[in-house]
Amino acid sequence: MYGMSTTSSAQAPDQAPNPDPDEAPDPDPDEAPDPDPAGHPQRWLILGVICLAQLTVLLDNTVLNVAIPSLTQELDAATSDIQWMINAYSLVQSGLLLTAGSAADRYGRKKMLIAGLALFGIGSLAAGLASSTGQLIAARAGMGVGGALLLTTTLAVAMQIFAPEEHPRAIGIWSAVNALGFAAGPLIGGFVLDHFWWGAIFLINLPVVALGLVAVVALVPESKNPRGDRPDLLGALLSTVGMTALVLAIISGPEHGWTSGRALAGGGVAMAALALFARWESRIPYPMLDLHFFRDQRFTGAVAGAVLITFGMGGALFLLTQHLQFVLGYEPLEAGLRTAPLALVVVALNFSGLSAKWTAGLGTPLSVGLGMVLMSGGLVSIALPASDGYAGTLLGLVLIGVGCAVANPAMAHAVMSAIPPAKAGVGAGINGTLAEFGNGLGVAVLGAVLNSRFAALIPVAATSLPAALAAAGSAGERREITEAFSSGLRTSQLAGAVAVLLGGLLAAALLRRAERAAA
């Protein structure tokens, strides 16, 4: 497998001899030999295939939002049903990312990629044909299993088929697909719903899945951990329970209150399960997640930056949609179109290779720091009172897009390069888990800042803008309520800007220190 620079402490577990010769894996005829140092001859075509598979998963994260009115009418779905339709997918996917990555390393990344596509396709078919809310929620959970396998194996395969010097550009393209999925989901969903019934938003996945299966079988080489560690079943169970409970607590806090039974129970289970997971992983000879990774300052720097960048971005984009609709007065589809410049900038810079060139010239620490400073400036531009028109918002979106294009691939590369190649699936699982955690935390915390500021300024008792406007007794009160909501948005966006800025400085400092220590 392709070599990646790691600390000796991180490599030691993978380089240790097998303590029991009977545990040595049998030769696998499906496992490809050591790849050419120049990279797989069809690597760019393979990257296109796995990015297509990844895009399908990412579209499903956002496409359901535009179908909520249709689901409410045709399936007689209550608000709680809608929440579970959305959350079942993200809960299962985020809870299984680390386990899925570990399974890919042990059993073969190509096998898990095929399994992920198949499960995602079956789940999409079941969702498209669902006739009740319960069936749709169950189908979405099944799609989450396939999504977890796809998100981890796509990045792991990309790290195997490219030479180390091509990793930054390959990861840049992989990262750009995330932005493309974010921008295209609502637009594709809106187009499909204008011409077909709601189930079609899931059935359009089927031809893409079929094409992906054929291409993966024909093109993608098999790769896996050559030592074949014993499966860490208890570690997989504890990590899945812990991460699922943690995401559930983050989702439940804004909806039911941070002191509600659901939020407190989720947080308590998460803390207990993750503490047991850390203790178990530190004591067994074949850990799913080697805790020695956290002794690598490059790894910890990338982890800190990844959490804070997704914290600021997830929360800010959640606030941005409300800013465009409630403050600037755009319709939902128009608001979606006006967020597109962010994704277009990310896609253009990464697909053209410019961001990879900048990262190579600046180095990882400076790239991460500069990218997050630009993102912070973009959030400030959106939050400024002068941006009540679209011009300030457009400038902010462009700055955030440039910052994302530079910082995101650099941090993903830092995470992956701090982990031995044999653990590429686990590395991809860590990268995805950090993104899910930071995004959920950003929505929860910055949403709480918004609600707190809004509640303190409005002249009526209400928990949301529509409820407050309905309770207003005069045009003056409605104007005051709208201004209070705008003030809350600005406060929370500025809080996100501070988090991103501090995250950039912290991550850059840790990555710089790690480089000096290695030198």
Side-chain angles (χ1 to χ4, degrees), residues 490-512:
R490 285 195 294 269
T491 301
S492 49
Q493 284 167 338
L494 290 173
V498 171
V500 171
L501 179 61
L502 294 179
L505 297 176
L506 173 63
L510 290 173
L511 291 168
R512 176 69 71 188

Side-chain angles (χ1 to χ4, degrees), residues 57 110-122 142-143 145-150 153 209 213:
V57 178
K110 178 177 181 176
K111 292 184 181 71
M112 292 300 104
L113 186 54
I114 293 172
L117 281 167
L119 288 172
F120 194 80
I122 293 169
M143 293 171 70
V145 178
L149 287 168
L150 289 175
T153 50
V209 166
L213 281 170

Side-chain angles (χ1 to χ4, degrees), residues 115-313:
L117 281 167
L119 288 172
F120 194 80
I122 293 169
S124 297
L125 178 62
L129 301 179
S131 58
S132 68
T133 56
Q135 292 175 2
L136 183 53
I137 291 169
R140 291 275 293 169
M143 293 171 70
V145 178
L149 287 168
L150 289 175
L151 288 180
T152 51
T153 50
T154 52
L155 180 56
V157 168
M159 296 299 290
Q160 303 301 313
I161 60 176
F162 283 92
E165 60 270 16
E166 292 180 318
H167 284 164
R169 185 172 184 187
I171 292 177
I173 293 173
W174 181 89
S175 298
V177 174
N178 290 291
L180 189 60
F182 162 76
L187 301 180
I188 292 175
F191 174 81
V192 170
L193 289 173
D194 282 344
H195 296 82
F196 305 99
W197 93 112
W198 65 265
I201 63 174
F202 299 109
L203 298 182
I204 58 174
N205 293 334
L206 298 181
V208 180
V209 166
L211 177 63
L213 281 170
V214 172
V216 168
V217 171
L219 296 173
V220 176
E222 182 62 284
S223 64
K224 60 183 177 181
N225 185 344
R227 192 183 66 179
D229 291 344
R230 298 171 183 171
D232 180 10
L233 299 180
L234 182 58
L237 175 63
L238 290 172
S239 71
T240 301
V241 171
M243 287 306 305
T244 303
L246 181 60
V247 175
L248 178 61
I250 292 172
I251 292 172
S252 300
E255 293 178 4
H256 304 282
W258 292 103
T259 58
S260 66
R262 182 178 297 185
L264 292 176
V269 171
M271 291 177 62
L274 293 177
L276 288 172
F277 172 71
R279 180 173 177 79
W280 172 255
E281 296 299 288
S282 67
R283 296 170 66 89
I284 62 172
Y286 298 97
M288 183 172 70
L289 175 61
D290 188 350
L291 299 182
H292 286 92
F293 296 155
F294 292 93
R295 296 181 184 177
D296 186 339
Q297 291 181 341
R298 179 181 39 175
F299 180 77
T300 54
V303 164
V307 169
L308 287 171
I309 194 173
T310 52
F311 172 91
M313 279 301 301

Side-chain angles (χ1 to χ4, degrees), residues 347-394:
V347 170
L349 292 179
N350 280 312
F351 273 83
S352 66
L354 284 175
S355 63
K357 291 179 181 178
W358 294 344
T359 300
L362 296 172
T364 299
L366 188 55
S367 296
V368 169
L370 176 61
M372 294 179 75
V373 167
L374 289 172
M375 292 173 62
S376 179
L379 294 173
V380 171
S381 177
I382 294 172
L384 288 176
S387 67
D388 286 344
Y390 183 65
T393 301
L394 177 61

